[in-house]
Amino acid sequence: MIELNIGTLRQRQSLPLECKIAKAIRTLEIAYRKYDGNLIICRGGADSAVVAWLAKQSKETENIPNVCVASVEPVENIKFNKEDGCILLKSEISKKKVIIDHGYPLISKEVSMALNRYLHTTKEEIKRYRLYGDRGDGKKYSAGVIPKKYREFIYAPYEFSEVCCTEMKKKPLKKYERDHVIKSHKGYTKDKIKCIPVTGEIAEESKNRLRIYLNNGCFVNGKDEKITPLGPWTKEDIKECIQRFNIPISDSYGTVIENDNKELVFSGEQRTGCDICGFGIMFDLDRFDRLKKNKPGMYKQMMNGGQWIRKPLYRWVKFRPDSIPIWSNLYWVPSERGYGYRFVLNYFYKVLNINKKIEV
């Protein structure tokens, strides 16, 4: 495992686009040889469309299979990727089932994970760590700790969870890997042949992806082994590459334009993914307003419905943000009528004093 630092990343991010393109193509070629061609390009939105274009620039990598997990992509991305020759994959479990079993995807994967782990432990030392980053050694930690502004959600009447992508995206990819491996990869036994995913992830997208890139570079090892040839790219690089080389992208994004600050942006959505995902909501409070305008049917299904169910796990709950916690095993989850996000988001906004209310 290599270890980079933030200075090295900044240096790589400052390179000209032509240099980044050459390095990314080289990364794909090295990966192709390293894994005996056992690679799959995981397609979703604009970033992965750039990866697919890069692969086609080399005769060695031009025939890497492209797959798209349709379960977690908006219909525009599914249509585009299908027309572009992608193999469509689907999850064996529904989104509603994932939320009922595990919780709603809100804020970020890191915060949802920390809230979920706090709820599902009885050990006071772990609860203390999740709240305050205290391990009893006099030091303060931040990894896996609930940020102060979100601590009130330990009393929320619904669960938070980060496992949506694991259930809806990673598992279909693993199934494809088991069923459609290209050829045996030396170093693996017959029962452990692997297809290595190639993704469009970039380091600057999140703290987690930054950490992964600094620890691994473009060759991520371990449990979630993958290749990230765009790791040192920036969001501006993605848009410049699409614009300069006229790379086709999903209609969700529109076209690449220049805004009033002379920055390259998409004329449509800046990011795409699962329509009902609440990760990153704090940085895009109008996301579901746009969904209401562009996909009213999906919006109604997302906001309507919801029901109370009882689970074996009791915890202290506030059914209103200003109420006194009570000991309860009632949980708000999706129902047949919809996902129940109206209740979830209105509670969320009130706790954070955000002047916003969901109306269907």
Side-chain angles (χ1 to χ4, degrees), residues 240-254:
E240 183 183 346
C241 190
I242 290 169
Q243 184 184 61
R244 187 187 299 186
F245 298 99
N246 198 28
I247 299 172
I249 54 175
S250 164
D251 291 342
S252 297
Y253 297 96

Side-chain angles (χ1 to χ4, degrees), residues 11-270:
Q11 182 184 33
R12 293 179 180 183
Q13 288 175 328
S14 68
L15 292 171
L17 181 60
E18 293 83 358
C19 187
K20 290 178 179 176
I21 289 173
K23 285 181 173 293
I25 293 172
R26 179 66 175 158
T27 295
L28 287 168
E29 291 173 339
I30 292 172
Y32 193 85
R33 295 168 200 158
K34 178 179 179 181
Y35 295 104
D36 298 332
N38 292 328
L39 304 177
I40 50 173
I41 297 175
C42 300
R43 296 285 297 275
D47 296 359
S48 57
V50 171
V51 173
W53 176 81
L54 289 167
K56 291 176 182 176
Q57 306 312 300
S58 168
K59 289 185 177 181
E60 189 170 4
T61 60
E62 62 182 351
N63 293 319
I64 297 175
N66 286 221
V67 300
C68 170
V69 184
S71 314
V72 294
E73 293 296 331
V75 63
E76 297 89 348
N77 287 11
I78 296 170
K79 180 182 177 182
F80 171 76
N81 287 326
K82 183 178 180 181
E83 291 174 350
D84 203 37
C86 288
I87 301 164
L88 298 185
L89 309 179
K90 290 186 178 181
S91 170
E92 295 180 352
I93 186 173
S94 71
K95 295 174 187 175
K96 285 184 180 179
K97 178 65 172 170
V98 174
I99 295 174
I100 290 170
D101 289 350
H102 302 282
Y104 285 90
L106 288 169
I107 308 173
S108 71
K109 289 183 180 180
E110 293 80 8
V111 174
S112 284
M113 179 276 292
L115 286 164
N116 190 279
R117 300 300 188 276
Y118 176 92
L119 174 65
H120 286 268
T121 185
T122 57
K123 296 181 179 179
E124 288 303 318
E125 61 270 26
I126 296 179
K127 287 183 178 290
R128 187 171 62 250
Y129 175 76
R130 294 296 180 192
L131 284 179
Y132 309 113
D134 179 11
R135 286 180 173 168
D137 58 2
K139 298 179 182 179
K140 289 293 182 181
Y141 298 87
S142 59
V145 176
I146 304 166
K148 186 176 181 179
K149 67 183 292 186
Y150 300 124
R151 285 179 194 165
E152 184 70 14
F153 288 111
I154 65 174
Y155 302 114
Y158 46 83
E159 288 188 85
F160 291 74
S161 176
E162 84 291 359
V163 305
C164 262
C165 284
T166 298
E167 294 291 337
M168 304 296 297
K169 193 172 186 177
K170 290 183 180 179
K171 286 190 175 180
L173 285 170
K174 289 293 183 184
K175 185 177 186 302
Y176 176 87
E177 175 186 302
R178 291 194 304 269
D179 298 344
H180 299 86
V181 66
I182 303 169
K183 57 184 178 180
S184 296
H185 166 29
K186 60 185 179 183
Y188 287 96
T189 58
K190 288 184 179 180
D191 63 342
K192 199 178 179 184
I193 298 172
K194 301 187 75 174
C195 278
I196 307 300
V198 182
T199 73
E201 297 171 22
I202 60 177
E204 74 169 22
E205 279 184 311
S206 69
K207 289 181 180 179
N208 186 50
R209 289 184 176 178
L210 173 62
R211 176 183 58 79
I212 290 172
Y213 181 78
L214 293 180
N215 287 339
N216 297 273
C218 295
F219 291 80
V220 180
N221 297 303
K223 181 181 177 182
D224 294 321
E225 197 170 5
K226 59 188 172 184
I227 311 300
T228 59
L230 305 185
W233 287 40
T234 65
K235 296 175 184 177
E236 187 85 356
D237 293 327
I238 301 291
K239 299 176 183 73
E240 183 183 346
C241 190
I242 290 169
Q243 184 184 61
R244 187 187 299 186
F245 298 99
N246 198 28
I247 299 172
I249 54 175
S250 164
D251 291 342
S252 297
Y253 297 96
T255 58
V256 177
I257 60 174
E258 197 173 76
N259 66 13
D260 295 338
N261 296 323
K262 304 298 182 183
E263 299 168 329
L264 292 179
V265 296
F266 294 116
S267 61
E269 291 292 331
Q270 301 308 304

